[in-house]
Amino acid sequence: MNSPTFSSQLLEEAVEQFAKLPGIGRKTALRMALFLLKQPIEDVNLFSASISRLRNEIKFCMICSNLSDADVCPICNDKQRDNSLVCVVENAKDVLSIENTGQYHGVYHVLGGIISPMEGIGPADLRIEQLEQRVAEGTIKEIIFAFSATAEGDTTSFYLYRRLSRFSVQISSIARGVAIGDELDYTDTVTLGRSIQNRLPFEVKQNK
Amino acid sequence: MNSPTFSSQLLEEAVEQFAKLPGIGRKTALRMALFLLKQPIEDVNLFSASISRLRNEIKFCMICSNLSDADVCPICNDKQRDNSLVCVVENAKDVLSIENTGQYHGVYHVLGGIISPMEGIGPADLRIEQLEQRVAEGTIKEIIFAFSATAEGDTTSFYLYRRLSRFSVQISSIARGVAIGDELDYTDTVTLGRSIQNRLPFEVKQNK
């Protein structure tokens, strides 16, 4: 589709802005702009204000670097949570994914990326020193690496392991294996191999 | 996916706002919000301002009801265009689609919808009186109906035809037929039947 001749510069600009969002082409951008034109003016102003406030007012938690409205995020602030257990993740989205499971009651450390020579991201670009400082304080008993099961994730785990091994802290990594619901036929050999190596004692799960 | 526990209310609000857009779920909305957090602050402010200005400042052309920044849209204002030829369309998006073809040099009339009993849209909800007024002024020679090839489109054409037949104006409708690139095998019988009825003298198109 060529760029249509818009009869309105305002519409043209809004479409251009929407089309900058990830995964949004000009056609979808136009649909969004026309959708907003049909909404009540107050709703659109709320939308606009929300975007601006998000970018201007959001902070990084001074403890874990997670996204936060205050200096310390609600997770680090939560006295119910175990702050001797720290899960190290790539970004704020991964925190959400893990929180979503409802299975984790420790705290986090957000690195702000993973080591990726392809994208030019090295250890110095990540919040590794801050993690070392937290460990050095002595209250942390266990560190869990929770990275994607990719070469970059493995590299980051290995690098962090070496940096943290001088501290007396337990280091673990989230389990890799056959995903729940996956059939063995369709599981790749590396995953299947690892899941055999890392087999666990069989347990009959009781419903709570 | 359940709603994740966001560590930031600002993020939560932005995700909710994005998720109101057509075709955007919470997961994509989150991706958009996190994307904006990584963009320069000025860019995000431009995005936010563009949305707000779009909704607050856009106007409807007082002649054709198309979206416009000024009282009269650039199409109605264009002295090169034939204002004795009026193409009647459902909405501003259809104007864009037709402009995109580069084949039309008349002007438009945007109805603001089509007659749809299912959605409770009747003739009174559309800008039909304004169209009659334009025709009554006497400069219009031909009206082209350019609606979707649906029951609603056909109903609207038929209704408008009856309303406009009292004026001495030529009324036509865009051609229906086998779409360019479509194979006959896969063309539905109604379309194929119509394209036989509405056959045209064969012409060898010369390259200009």
Side-chain angles (χ1 to χ4, degrees), chain A residues 75-113:
Chain A
I75 296 174
C76 288
N77 238 339
D78 187 344
K79 299 283 171 253
Q80 303 280 72
R81 299 187 78 123
D82 181 359
N83 66 3
S84 73
L85 182 61
V86 175
C87 182
V88 186
V89 293
E90 180 181 343
N91 55 39
K93 208 168 168 183
D94 294 337
V95 173
L96 289 172
S97 302
I98 295 173
E99 284 300 285
N100 249 347
T101 68
Q103 298 293 314
Y104 182 66
H105 302 291
V107 293
Y108 294 91
H109 189 84
V110 180
L111 285 184

Side-chain angles (χ1 to χ4, degrees), chain A residues 7-9 39 67 69, chain B residues 7-9 39 55 67 69:
Chain A
S7 59
S8 155
Q9 196 58 33
Q39 304 309 305
L67 296 174
D69 296 347
Chain B
S7 59
S8 155
Q9 196 58 35
Q39 304 310 305
R55 183 64 185 80
L67 296 173
D69 297 346

Side-chain angles (χ1 to χ4, degrees), chain B residues 21-83:
Chain B
L21 293 173
I24 302 300
R26 275 185 75 88
K27 240 178 166 166
T28 312
L30 174 60
R31 196 150 64 105
M32 288 174 170
L34 293 175
F35 169 83
L36 289 181
L37 279 174
K38 280 191 242 158
Q39 304 310 305
I41 216 157
E42 309 80 53
D43 289 7
V44 178
N45 287 341
L46 274 179
F47 180 34
S48 160
S50 161
I51 289 170
S52 164
R53 287 187 58 207
L54 173 71
R55 183 64 185 80
N56 288 280
E57 294 176 26
I58 213 161
K59 295 172 182 173
F60 294 104
C61 170
M62 41 186 287
I63 299 174
C64 72
S65 303
N66 190 11
L67 296 173
S68 173
D69 297 346
D71 291 334
V72 174
C73 77
I75 296 174
C76 288
N77 237 341
D78 187 346
K79 300 282 171 250
Q80 302 280 74
R81 298 187 77 123
D82 181 0
N83 67 3

Side-chain angles (χ1 to χ4, degrees), chain A residues 102-200:
Chain A
Q103 298 293 314
Y104 182 66
H105 302 291
V107 293
Y108 294 91
H109 189 84
V110 180
L111 285 184
I114 44 175
I115 298 172
S116 170
M118 289 286 285
E119 293 181 33
I121 302 171
D125 302 312
L126 309 178
R127 299 194 195 93
I128 295 175
E129 266 179 49
Q130 290 91 324
L131 177 61
E132 282 183 319
Q133 280 166 23
R134 287 178 77 180
V135 177
E137 283 166 17
T139 48
I140 297 172
K141 288 179 191 152
E142 184 179 351
I143 300 269
I144 305 170
F145 297 153
F147 302 118
S148 296
T150 58
E152 287 83 3
D154 290 348
T155 306
T156 309
S157 294
F158 184 67
Y159 181 84
L160 286 179
Y161 177 77
R162 293 214 316 194
R163 286 273 293 254
L164 297 172
S165 55
R166 63 194 171 97
F167 300 102
S168 63
V169 66
Q170 195 185 325
I171 295 173
S172 55
S173 175
I174 55 168
R176 315 295 194 194
V178 181
I180 310 299
D182 269 12
E183 291 184 44
L184 282 201
D185 300 27
Y186 294 103
T187 305
D188 68 286
T189 50
V190 179
T191 301
L192 196 53
R194 276 239 220 164
S195 76
I196 292 172
Q197 278 169 20
N198 304 335
R199 63 195 177 277
L200 297 165

Side-chain angles (χ1 to χ4, degrees), chain B residues 63-65 86 88 108-111 123-124 126-140 143 145 158-169 171:
Chain B
I63 299 174
C64 72
S65 303
V86 175
V88 186
Y108 294 92
H109 188 86
V110 180
L111 284 184
L126 308 178
R127 299 194 194 95
I128 296 175
E129 264 179 50
Q130 290 91 323
L131 177 61
E132 282 182 320
Q133 280 166 22
R134 285 180 78 180
V135 177
E137 282 166 18
T139 47
I140 298 172
I143 299 270
F145 297 152
F158 185 66
Y159 180 85
L160 286 179
Y161 177 78
R162 292 215 315 193
R163 285 273 291 257
L164 296 173
S165 56
R166 65 194 169 96
F167 300 100
S168 63
V169 66
I171 296 174

